[in-house]
Amino acid sequence: MKILVIGKNGQLGRSIQKFISKFNHHEFTLTGREELDLSSSESISKYFNTNSNFDVIVNCAAFNGVDRAEEEADLADQVNHLAVKKLAEFANSQNAKLIHISTDYVFDGKNESPYLESDNPNPINVYGKTKLLGEKASLKIMSNNAIIMRTSWVFSEFGNNFLKTMMKLGSEKNDINVVSDQIGSPTYASDLAEAILHIISNNNFNKKSFPTEVFHFSNIGETSWSDFAKEIFKLANLNCKVTPISSDQYPTPAIRPKNSTLSKDKITNHFKLQVPSWQKSLKECLKGII
Ligand SMILES: NC(=O)c1ccc[n+]([C@@H]2O[C@H](COP(=O)([O-])OP(=O)(O)OC[C@H]3O[C@@H](n4cnc5c(N)ncnc54)[C@H](OP(=O)(O)O)[C@@H]3O)[C@@H](O)[C@H]2O)c1
C-alpha cells in the first residue's frame, strides 16, 4: 500500500518512523510543513495535484498549541478544520482511506466516567472546537473509509510534552506545583503509532469499504497531572517534591476539561489491540530519554 503520513516532525509522526522498517512491504511517504503546509489551501492542492494514488492518508499534523489557539483562532481553524476537510476531499477523490487524529479536548470534562465514542462532544476551548470541526468535516465528506482516532495527553521521547517539561523542572528544582484536578489518560506516542500501523494491517481496515468510525485510544489507566509528575520523578529517580494545586491556582488562557479520560473498549475489541498501562509505557519511554 502507498501510505502518506502528514506531520513527520511531530511526536506521533516521529514515533511512526520508529516502526516503519517493520512494515517495509508498504511504501511510506512522509511530509512535514515544508512539503505540505496545512495552513495554506494552495499548498494542499498543489501537493495533491502532483502526488496522488495514495491508499492511506494518516494525518498526524495539527495546530496543537492549546493556549495559543485562543489568540490564533483563525490559524487553528485552518489547520485543524479546513485543512482536514480538504484532506478528506482528496482522500475521497483518490479512493484513499483516511486516519485522522483528534483529541479528548472535544469533550467538556463533565462526565464522571471515561468518555465513550458515542458521548456528545462539547469543547470548552478554541483548540477543541477546531478539532471537533475537523472531525465533523471529515465525517460529512467520508461516510466510508475514514477513522477518527481521539487520543489524549501524548508523551514521547520527541518534541515538547509534559514528560519532557517535568524531566527538566525535576532536575532544576526541589519542589514544584502541579495541577491535580484534571484527570486524563496519558498516551505514549509509540503505542499510538504501533496501533495505527496495526490498524492499517487489520482485515477490518482492508475491506474495500467500511463505514467511517470514531475510536478512542490512550494507554490504559487514568491519572491527574500531579500524579503523572510524581510517577515521572519516581521512575527517573528525581528528588523533586510535587505539591498538588487546583486549576484555579494555575490559570491558563484556555480552560481544560476536568475529566478527559477515554474508554478504549471499542478500539481494542474492533481491532484486537493490546494496550499497555500508562505506567508501563512511561517506563519504556524513559529508557529513551535518561
Ligand atoms: N500532544 C498531545 O498531548 C495531544 C493530545 C490530544 C490529541 N493530540 C492530537 O494528536 C495528533 C498528534 O499530536 P502530536 O503530539 O504528535 O503533535 P506535535 O508533536 O505538536 O506535532 C504536530 C505536527 O504538526 C505539524 N504542523 C503544525 N502546523 C502545521 C502546518 N501548518 N502544516 C503542516 N504541519 C503542521 C507540526 O509541524 P512543525 O514540527 O513544523 O511545527 C508538528 O510536526 C494531533 O492531531 C493532535 O491534535 C495530541
Side-chain angles (χ1 to χ4, degrees):
M1 279 192 287
K2 256 184 101 179
I3 301 171
L4 171 66
V5 178
I6 303 170
K8 69 176 179 187
N9 299 315
Q11 297 194 75
L12 180 57
R14 289 173 75 181
S15 301
I16 288 177
Q17 292 175 64
K18 275 175 37 179
F19 301 106
I20 56 179
S21 61
K22 283 201 223 160
F23 292 82
N24 56 12
H25 47 292
H26 298 311
E27 183 189 328
F28 286 89
T29 303
L30 301 134
T31 63
R33 200 188 285 266
E34 350 24 272
E35 294 91 8
L36 173 49
D37 181 357
L38 298 184
S39 69
S40 148
S41 294
E42 295 75 44
S43 164
I44 304 172
S45 300
K46 200 169 150 207
Y47 184 83
F48 284 101
N49 288 337
T50 42
N51 299 275
S52 55
N53 300 324
F54 294 110
D55 299 297
V56 183
I57 297 171
V58 184
N59 180 28
C60 310
F63 184 106
N64 249 344
V66 177
D67 289 320
R68 241 182 347 115
E70 299 293 312
E71 288 287 318
E72 295 178 65
D74 288 347
L75 181 57
D77 187 67
Q78 168 58 38
V79 176
N80 293 343
H81 165 211
L82 300 176
V84 177
K85 179 169 179 265
K86 243 178 153 33
L87 291 180
E89 285 166 356
F90 278 108
N92 238 1
S93 69
Q94 301 192 357
N95 259 336
K97 290 167 180 160
L98 175 70
I99 299 181
H100 171 64
I101 314 302
S102 192
T103 174
D104 54 335
Y105 282 11
V106 297
F107 295 115
D108 61 18
K110 291 184 181 152
N111 256 27
E112 306 253 312
S113 51
Y115 278 95
L116 302 173
E117 290 79 353
S118 53
D119 285 329
N120 276 337
N122 181 31
I124 55 175
N125 56 41
V126 170
Y127 166 76
K129 284 177 189 159
T130 60
K131 292 291 284 186
L132 181 61
L133 289 170
E135 287 188 5
K136 284 187 172 164
S138 37
L139 281 164
K140 191 166 170 202
I141 293 158
M142 298 184 77
S143 51
N144 290 315
N145 294 340
I147 285 181
I148 291 160
M149 278 175 91
R150 293 188 188 131
T151 190
S152 56
W153 293 30
V154 178
F155 66 92
S156 70
E157 312 78 326
F158 309 116
N160 296 317
N161 57 64
F162 182 78
L163 166 61
K164 302 273 288 287
T165 305
M166 289 303 120
M167 291 296 289
K168 184 167 183 293
L169 290 176
S171 55
E172 290 169 358
K173 292 174 176 274
N174 295 323
D175 53 87
I176 56 167
N177 297 334
V178 186
V179 167
S180 61
D181 59 359
Q182 293 169 26
I183 309 292
S185 314
T187 305
Y188 182 26
S190 287
D191 291 333
L192 176 57
E194 280 194 291
I196 290 168
L197 294 166
H198 175 94
I199 287 170
I200 291 173
S201 308
N202 187 280
N203 289 340
N204 282 333
F205 185 81
N206 283 298
K207 288 176 188 158
K208 199 161 184 294
S209 175
F210 58 82
T212 291
E213 297 252 14
V214 177
F215 292 98
H216 289 172
F217 183 91
S218 71
N219 283 112
I220 297 293
E222 57 190 59
T223 189
S224 63
W225 291 116
S226 54
D227 285 346
F228 193 7
K230 284 180 193 169
E231 188 70 11
I232 292 167
F233 294 158
K234 188 179 95 188
L235 294 178
N237 281 323
L238 288 171
N239 200 7
C240 179
K241 183 174 173 271
V242 176
T243 303
I245 56 166
S246 69
S247 304
D248 293 346
Q249 293 171 282
Y250 187 75
T252 49
I255 319 168
R256 267 80 171 163
K258 286 286 162 70
N259 168 29
S260 64
T261 55
L262 301 174
S263 164
K264 272 73 69 180
D265 292 350
K266 183 176 170 188
I267 199 163
T268 50
N269 291 331
H270 195 84
F271 293 112
K272 309 271 173 288
L273 276 179
Q274 304 261 334
V275 188
S277 71
W278 68 266
Q279 293 93 332
K280 187 165 180 237
S281 290
L282 174 60
K283 212 178 274 178
E284 194 56 37
C285 179
L286 279 168
K287 286 185 198 160
I289 294 181
I290 300 173

